[in-house]
Short mmCIF file of all heavy atoms in Angstrom, two decimals:
data_model
loop_
_atom_site.label_atom_id
_atom_site.label_comp_id
_atom_site.label_asym_id
_atom_site.label_seq_id
_atom_site.Cartn_x
_atom_site.Cartn_y
_atom_site.Cartn_z
N THR A 366 5.01 -39.42 7.87
CA THR A 366 4.23 -40.66 7.92
C THR A 366 2.91 -40.51 7.19
O THR A 366 2.50 -41.37 6.40
CB THR A 366 3.98 -41.06 9.38
OG1 THR A 366 5.24 -41.28 10.04
CG2 THR A 366 3.15 -42.32 9.48
N ALA A 367 2.22 -39.37 7.44
CA ALA A 367 0.93 -39.12 6.78
C ALA A 367 1.13 -38.95 5.27
O ALA A 367 0.31 -39.42 4.47
CB ALA A 367 0.28 -37.87 7.37
N LEU A 368 2.22 -38.32 4.86
CA LEU A 368 2.49 -38.12 3.45
C LEU A 368 2.72 -39.46 2.74
O LEU A 368 2.15 -39.72 1.67
CB LEU A 368 3.72 -37.21 3.28
CG LEU A 368 4.26 -37.03 1.86
CD1 LEU A 368 3.21 -36.49 0.92
CD2 LEU A 368 5.50 -36.12 1.89
N LEU A 369 3.52 -40.31 3.34
CA LEU A 369 3.79 -41.62 2.73
C LEU A 369 2.52 -42.46 2.66
O LEU A 369 2.30 -43.20 1.69
CB LEU A 369 4.88 -42.35 3.53
CG LEU A 369 6.29 -41.77 3.37
CD1 LEU A 369 7.23 -42.35 4.42
CD2 LEU A 369 6.81 -42.03 1.96
N ARG A 370 1.67 -42.35 3.66
CA ARG A 370 0.40 -43.09 3.65
C ARG A 370 -0.46 -42.66 2.46
O ARG A 370 -1.07 -43.49 1.78
CB ARG A 370 -0.33 -42.85 4.98
CG ARG A 370 -1.57 -43.72 5.17
CD ARG A 370 -2.04 -43.71 6.63
NE ARG A 370 -2.39 -42.37 7.07
CZ ARG A 370 -1.79 -41.74 8.10
NH1 ARG A 370 -0.81 -42.33 8.76
NH2 ARG A 370 -2.16 -40.54 8.46
N LEU A 371 -0.48 -41.36 2.19
CA LEU A 371 -1.25 -40.86 1.04
C LEU A 371 -0.62 -41.26 -0.28
O LEU A 371 -1.32 -41.59 -1.25
CB LEU A 371 -1.35 -39.33 1.13
CG LEU A 371 -2.33 -38.77 2.17
CD1 LEU A 371 -2.07 -37.29 2.39
CD2 LEU A 371 -3.77 -38.99 1.73
N LEU A 372 0.69 -41.24 -0.34
CA LEU A 372 1.37 -41.58 -1.58
C LEU A 372 1.17 -43.05 -1.96
O LEU A 372 1.16 -43.40 -3.14
CB LEU A 372 2.87 -41.28 -1.45
CG LEU A 372 3.24 -39.78 -1.38
CD1 LEU A 372 4.71 -39.62 -1.03
CD2 LEU A 372 2.92 -39.07 -2.69
N ARG A 373 1.01 -43.89 -0.94
CA ARG A 373 0.84 -45.32 -1.19
C ARG A 373 -0.62 -45.71 -1.37
O ARG A 373 -0.93 -46.87 -1.68
CB ARG A 373 1.45 -46.11 -0.02
CG ARG A 373 2.97 -45.97 0.07
CD ARG A 373 3.49 -46.44 1.40
NE ARG A 373 4.96 -46.26 1.49
CZ ARG A 373 5.64 -46.16 2.63
NH1 ARG A 373 5.00 -46.23 3.80
NH2 ARG A 373 6.94 -46.03 2.62
N TYR A 374 -1.52 -44.73 -1.18
CA TYR A 374 -2.95 -45.03 -1.26
C TYR A 374 -3.36 -45.27 -2.71
O TYR A 374 -3.02 -44.50 -3.61
CB TYR A 374 -3.76 -43.87 -0.67
CG TYR A 374 -5.24 -44.06 -0.76
CD1 TYR A 374 -5.90 -44.97 0.07
CD2 TYR A 374 -5.99 -43.34 -1.69
CE1 TYR A 374 -7.27 -45.16 -0.02
CE2 TYR A 374 -7.36 -43.50 -1.78
CZ TYR A 374 -7.99 -44.42 -0.95
OH TYR A 374 -9.35 -44.59 -1.04
N ASN A 375 -4.10 -46.32 -2.96
CA ASN A 375 -4.53 -46.62 -4.32
C ASN A 375 -5.96 -47.16 -4.35
O ASN A 375 -6.35 -47.88 -5.26
CB ASN A 375 -3.59 -47.64 -4.96
CG ASN A 375 -3.75 -47.67 -6.48
OD1 ASN A 375 -4.09 -46.66 -7.10
ND2 ASN A 375 -3.55 -48.84 -7.07
N GLY A 376 -6.75 -46.77 -3.33
CA GLY A 376 -8.12 -47.27 -3.25
C GLY A 376 -9.13 -46.19 -3.56
O GLY A 376 -8.79 -45.06 -3.93
N GLY A 377 -10.43 -46.54 -3.38
CA GLY A 377 -11.50 -45.58 -3.58
C GLY A 377 -11.71 -45.23 -5.04
O GLY A 377 -11.09 -45.77 -5.94
N ASP A 378 -12.67 -44.32 -5.27
CA ASP A 378 -12.97 -43.93 -6.64
C ASP A 378 -11.93 -42.91 -7.14
O ASP A 378 -11.02 -42.49 -6.42
CB ASP A 378 -14.38 -43.38 -6.74
CG ASP A 378 -14.59 -42.15 -5.86
OD1 ASP A 378 -13.58 -41.50 -5.49
OD2 ASP A 378 -15.74 -41.84 -5.53
N ARG A 379 -12.09 -42.50 -8.38
CA ARG A 379 -11.10 -41.62 -8.99
C ARG A 379 -11.03 -40.26 -8.29
O ARG A 379 -9.96 -39.67 -8.16
CB ARG A 379 -11.42 -41.45 -10.49
CG ARG A 379 -11.11 -42.71 -11.31
CD ARG A 379 -11.53 -42.53 -12.78
NE ARG A 379 -10.86 -41.43 -13.43
CZ ARG A 379 -9.61 -41.47 -13.92
NH1 ARG A 379 -8.87 -42.55 -13.77
NH2 ARG A 379 -9.10 -40.42 -14.53
N ASN A 380 -12.18 -39.76 -7.83
CA ASN A 380 -12.16 -38.46 -7.16
C ASN A 380 -11.39 -38.53 -5.85
O ASN A 380 -10.64 -37.62 -5.50
CB ASN A 380 -13.59 -37.97 -6.91
CG ASN A 380 -13.60 -36.55 -6.37
OD1 ASN A 380 -13.02 -35.63 -6.96
ND2 ASN A 380 -14.25 -36.36 -5.23
N ARG A 381 -11.55 -39.67 -5.12
CA ARG A 381 -10.83 -39.82 -3.85
C ARG A 381 -9.33 -39.94 -4.09
O ARG A 381 -8.53 -39.41 -3.32
CB ARG A 381 -11.35 -41.04 -3.08
CG ARG A 381 -10.96 -41.05 -1.61
CD ARG A 381 -11.83 -42.02 -0.82
NE ARG A 381 -11.73 -41.75 0.60
CZ ARG A 381 -11.11 -42.55 1.48
NH1 ARG A 381 -10.55 -43.68 1.07
NH2 ARG A 381 -11.06 -42.23 2.75
N ARG A 382 -8.94 -40.59 -5.15
CA ARG A 382 -7.53 -40.71 -5.45
C ARG A 382 -6.94 -39.34 -5.86
O ARG A 382 -5.80 -39.01 -5.52
CB ARG A 382 -7.32 -41.75 -6.55
CG ARG A 382 -7.50 -43.17 -6.01
CD ARG A 382 -7.91 -44.15 -7.08
NE ARG A 382 -6.89 -44.33 -8.12
CZ ARG A 382 -7.10 -44.97 -9.25
NH1 ARG A 382 -8.29 -45.50 -9.51
NH2 ARG A 382 -6.13 -45.11 -10.14
N ALA A 383 -7.74 -38.55 -6.56
CA ALA A 383 -7.29 -37.19 -6.88
C ALA A 383 -7.15 -36.36 -5.61
O ALA A 383 -6.19 -35.59 -5.45
CB ALA A 383 -8.28 -36.52 -7.84
N ALA A 384 -8.12 -36.53 -4.69
CA ALA A 384 -8.04 -35.82 -3.40
C ALA A 384 -6.80 -36.24 -2.63
O ALA A 384 -6.15 -35.41 -1.97
CB ALA A 384 -9.30 -36.08 -2.59
N ALA A 385 -6.45 -37.54 -2.69
CA ALA A 385 -5.27 -38.02 -1.99
C ALA A 385 -4.01 -37.36 -2.53
O ALA A 385 -3.10 -36.98 -1.78
CB ALA A 385 -5.18 -39.55 -2.10
N LEU A 386 -3.93 -37.19 -3.85
CA LEU A 386 -2.77 -36.52 -4.44
C LEU A 386 -2.72 -35.04 -4.04
O LEU A 386 -1.65 -34.51 -3.74
CB LEU A 386 -2.81 -36.65 -5.96
CG LEU A 386 -2.40 -38.01 -6.53
CD1 LEU A 386 -2.67 -38.06 -8.03
CD2 LEU A 386 -0.93 -38.29 -6.25
N ALA A 387 -3.89 -34.39 -4.05
CA ALA A 387 -3.93 -32.98 -3.63
C ALA A 387 -3.51 -32.83 -2.18
O ALA A 387 -2.76 -31.92 -1.81
CB ALA A 387 -5.32 -32.40 -3.86
N ALA A 388 -3.99 -33.74 -1.32
CA ALA A 388 -3.63 -33.70 0.09
C ALA A 388 -2.14 -33.98 0.27
O ALA A 388 -1.46 -33.33 1.09
CB ALA A 388 -4.46 -34.72 0.87
N ALA A 389 -1.61 -34.94 -0.49
CA ALA A 389 -0.19 -35.24 -0.40
C ALA A 389 0.64 -34.04 -0.84
O ALA A 389 1.71 -33.77 -0.28
CB ALA A 389 0.13 -36.46 -1.26
N ASP A 390 0.16 -33.33 -1.84
CA ASP A 390 0.85 -32.13 -2.30
C ASP A 390 0.95 -31.11 -1.17
O ASP A 390 2.01 -30.51 -0.95
CB ASP A 390 0.10 -31.54 -3.50
CG ASP A 390 0.82 -30.36 -4.10
OD1 ASP A 390 1.65 -30.58 -4.99
OD2 ASP A 390 0.56 -29.22 -3.68
N GLU A 391 -0.15 -30.91 -0.47
CA GLU A 391 -0.15 -29.95 0.64
C GLU A 391 0.80 -30.40 1.74
O GLU A 391 1.56 -29.60 2.30
CB GLU A 391 -1.57 -29.79 1.17
CG GLU A 391 -1.79 -28.56 2.04
CD GLU A 391 -1.33 -28.76 3.47
OE1 GLU A 391 -1.63 -29.82 4.05
OE2 GLU A 391 -0.67 -27.86 4.02
N LEU A 392 0.80 -31.70 2.06
CA LEU A 392 1.70 -32.21 3.09
C LEU A 392 3.16 -32.13 2.66
O LEU A 392 4.04 -31.88 3.49
CB LEU A 392 1.35 -33.66 3.43
CG LEU A 392 0.04 -33.88 4.21
CD1 LEU A 392 -0.18 -35.36 4.46
CD2 LEU A 392 0.06 -33.13 5.53
#
Side-chain angles (χ1 to χ4, degrees):
T366 299
L368 173 58
L369 288 167
R370 188 165 60 240
L371 285 166
L372 291 171
R373 293 165 182 158
Y374 178 73
N375 197 30
D378 60 21
R379 287 177 59 80
N380 187 54
R381 196 163 197 251
R382 286 154 64 191
L386 283 172
D390 185 89
E391 197 279 316
L392 288 180

